[in-house]
Amino acid sequence: MAETRIVVVGAGVSGLTSALLLSKHPRYKITVVAKHMPGDYDIEYASPWAGANYEPVSKANTIDAERDKNTWPELKRLAAEHPESGVHFQEARNFANPSDSGPIASAWSEPLKADAWFKDVVPNFRPLKPTELRAHASGTSFTSVCINTSLYLPYLVSQCLSAGVIFRRAILTHISDASSLFSSSPTNVPVLTPSGTAIDPITTPPSSSSAAAAAEEAKADIIINATGLSSLKLGGVQDSSLYPARGQTVIVRNTSPFMACTSGTSDGDEERCYAMTRAAGGGTVLGGSFQPGNWSAEVDGELAGRIMARAVELVPELVGGTWTEGKEGKEGKGKGDVGGLSVIRHGVGLRPCRRGGVRIEREFIGGEGEGDGDGKGEGRGKGEGDGKEGKEGGVWVVHNYGHGGYGYQSSYGCAMEVVRLVGECVEVAKGAVIGG
């Protein structure tokens, strides 16, 4: 069987996980192309800014819940067997009040249910005891994982490299240009696309006709689009359903005894309180906000102050303080001093949200028999086009973007669907007819 050449566009958690699972197929040859790579911090690059954790917000009996469920076994394995990945177990405690409302309370309602769909997926799921509620009406506890993103993203790169995946920096203006950036070896000299819009800032493209001919022969058969919010403007995609949800955090040196999350705050519908301690000295992430449509990359000092004050009130142990429970756990009060927080840095990231949910589907772009994908799909793992022969002059694209604030906890489930859709594209290339 001939090899299949694949270019994954995007080196966030979705792109890297897709590349890793695809690399397990012996006939797939993979190149990851991205403007930003692990180690970079840029407002365009969402993954480094994440908490990150496993806290399913998906609703029962949905494709999103299936993706979250399929991701847990691998995160559990990494936490148990591979501490170098930066994934470690941590008790999660979720707190709720009936008065909480707005987009945050609505989106994060599932983890607060006593009968949450994932109660039999994660270990030790239980309702919080009255003496554990910390002035809230209800809550849950379970064993989760916290992911140190500064370790985990490079870990994914290292696993990909061990499997023969090649990485290249490039800037694309059209998704189909990625097909010319496939590399068969780390030392391949990159070639500009015919339109000249794909730029590799590391090396100089060759000018000889022989090099151009070789590049033409080595074009990718399939492109994986994992560009997140960049798909809003990326040529060939331009998905107007995408929008940012701004998140702001404070990273501190202090340690939290557990992962704490609330369903809302008294400071507004777009704010909540959470604290999670990363593995291997990665600090504790305090948050946060969920601000739809807000593109600002600047740190809001007043919001940062509220984030820290709420964290110390909910988890005074961060600064050596104590929590004193009142009657039935609803009249308690935390005692701690915000001045005891040792700040490492402030963070601002943009969650890649999408009306209609995550988009995972295949689409044929360019040439004869072009698919009808217009960025409006509901992201249910379907395949666009009828799989008929005669698709010439174009390329198959498998989309995997629009994960909002749950890219890590759904990463393996989504990548499994990408692998399936790539397999369908390969069969279509052989002349098979695949039902959409």
Side-chain angles (χ1 to χ4, degrees), residues 82-102:
H82 293 279
E84 71 275 15
S85 69
V87 182
H88 75 136
F89 292 116
Q90 190 170 133
E91 180 193 5
R93 293 189 183 184
N94 297 283
F95 304 92
N97 283 320
S99 59
D100 291 336
S101 61

Side-chain angles (χ1 to χ4, degrees), residues 1-6 22 25 27-29 221-224 362 364 387 389 396-398 418-434:
M1 181 175 61
E3 71 178 24
T4 298
R5 299 180 295 272
I6 301 171
L22 287 166
H25 193 296
R27 301 304 299 175
Y28 293 168
K29 304 302 178 184
D221 303 299
I222 300 169
I223 297 169
I224 312 301
R362 58 182 171 90
F364 193 79
E389 296 183 61
W396 278 106
V397 176
V398 175
V418 168
V419 172
R420 176 178 61 79
L421 290 173
V422 166
E424 290 185 5
C425 293
V426 172
E427 291 303 311
V428 168
K430 296 177 181 178
V433 176
I434 306 293

